[in-house]
Amino acid sequence: MRIIGIDLSGPKNHKDTVLAIFKQEGNHLQLVKWANNLNDQDILNEVFEQSQLDEVVIGIDAPLSYQDGGGDRKSDRELRKFIVGLGMRSGSIMPPTLNRMVYLTLRGIKLSREIENLNASYPISLVEVHPGAIIGSRLSKQNIEYVLAYKQEQSARSFIRNWLTEQGLTQLPVEIEEESHSIDACAAALGAWHWKDSSYNVKWIFPASPPLHPYDYCC
C-alpha cells in the first residue's frame, strides 16, 4: 500500500503545496518521495504513478466539500469542539467558504474529483484530514505545546519530526523541519494510514455523507 499525504495550498500558491509519499512496510511507513511547489497536474501525475504500483490511500489537508448556504459544515463544528478539548486553538478550523479559505476549498474539491477519474491500476481512496489535530490527538498532554508552536518555531518542528518517526514514519529528512507544510504533509499521511489500516484507529472521524460531503473527515 502507498500512503500519500498532501498539504494543499490555494491554486495560486504552488510553493506551499507539499506532497509526501510513503510505502507501507509492515508496521512502518517508509518515505519514498517528498516534494513541494506542485501544481494540480504535478499531483495527479504523482498519484497516477503510485496507483500503477499498488493501492493508494490519500490524506488531503483541505476542505473537500462545503456547506450549502455557507458557514461551517457539521464536521467543522464537531472537530473544533474536539481539538479545543485537547487544549488546541479553535481558530485552526475555519469554514470552507470563509474568504481566506474559499480558493483552497475550490482546489480541494476540484483535485479530489480529478483523482477519482484517474485510470488507476489499483484502488485509490481519499480522506480529508486535519494535520494539527492528527498530531495533537496523539501527543501526550504534557507535550501539547509543540502542536501549538510548530507553525512558528523550528524547535517544535524538530520535536514533531522525531515524534513522527516514533509513530512509524521512517527516513524523514531533517529538511522537513524547515517549514510547517512538510510536517503537515507527513502528518496527513499518518492520519490517512490510521484511517485505512484496520490495525490502527483514528482519534476522531466524521463519516462521509454523500452526495454533498462524499469523503470521511478524520484525525
Side-chain angles (χ1 to χ4, degrees), residues 29-162:
L29 294 186
Q30 179 182 329
L31 183 66
V32 172
K33 185 170 184 177
W34 162 56
N36 68 346
N37 197 21
L38 302 168
N39 62 32
D40 291 357
Q41 191 61 56
D42 293 331
I43 295 171
L44 291 172
N45 290 345
E46 294 288 356
V47 172
F48 177 78
E49 181 178 327
Q50 298 304 314
S51 73
Q52 305 308 300
L53 303 173
D54 204 344
E55 177 181 3
V56 174
V57 181
I58 305 171
I60 301 181
D61 176 22
L64 303 184
S65 67
Y66 68 92
Q67 186 63 30
D68 193 15
D72 281 331
R73 300 168 293 179
K74 186 177 180 182
S75 58
D76 299 317
R77 293 194 296 271
E78 294 297 322
L79 182 56
R80 193 177 293 117
K81 290 177 190 175
F82 177 73
I83 68 167
V84 168
L86 298 173
M88 295 175 62
R89 301 183 184 98
S90 63
S92 67
I93 311 292
M94 291 179 279
T97 52
L98 191 71
N99 283 349
R100 62 185 294 190
M101 288 289 290
V102 68
Y103 288 108
L104 174 60
T105 300
L106 176 65
R107 189 181 187 195
I109 291 172
K110 173 179 177 287
L111 184 63
S112 60
R113 278 50 166 190
E114 289 170 340
I115 288 171
E116 285 192 339
N117 289 328
L118 287 174
N119 185 22
S121 296
Y122 291 90
I124 300 174
S125 51
L126 295 93
V127 61
E128 182 178 338
V129 296
H130 187 284
I134 290 167
I135 298 166
S137 61
R138 290 165 176 77
L139 283 175
S140 60
K141 286 193 175 182
Q142 60 265 34
N143 289 326
I144 199 69
E145 65 193 74
Y146 292 105
V147 79
L148 301 177
Y150 80 101
K151 298 285 189 182
Q152 296 82 29
E153 298 178 13
Q154 194 275 337
S155 59
R157 294 193 291 273
S158 178
F159 176 90
I160 291 173
R161 182 183 73 87
N162 291 329

Side-chain angles (χ1 to χ4, degrees), residues 1 4 31 34 39 49 59 72 78 85 101 103 110 120 126 152 165 175-176 182 184 188 190 195 201-202 211 215 219:
M1 186 161 62
I4 301 178
L31 183 66
W34 162 56
N39 62 32
E49 181 178 327
D72 281 331
E78 294 297 322
M101 288 289 290
Y103 288 108
K110 173 179 177 287
L126 295 93
Q152 296 82 29
T165 299
E175 288 78 10
I176 74 164
S182 296
D184 284 338
L190 175 64
W195 169 75
N201 293 304
V202 294
Y215 303 105
C219 69

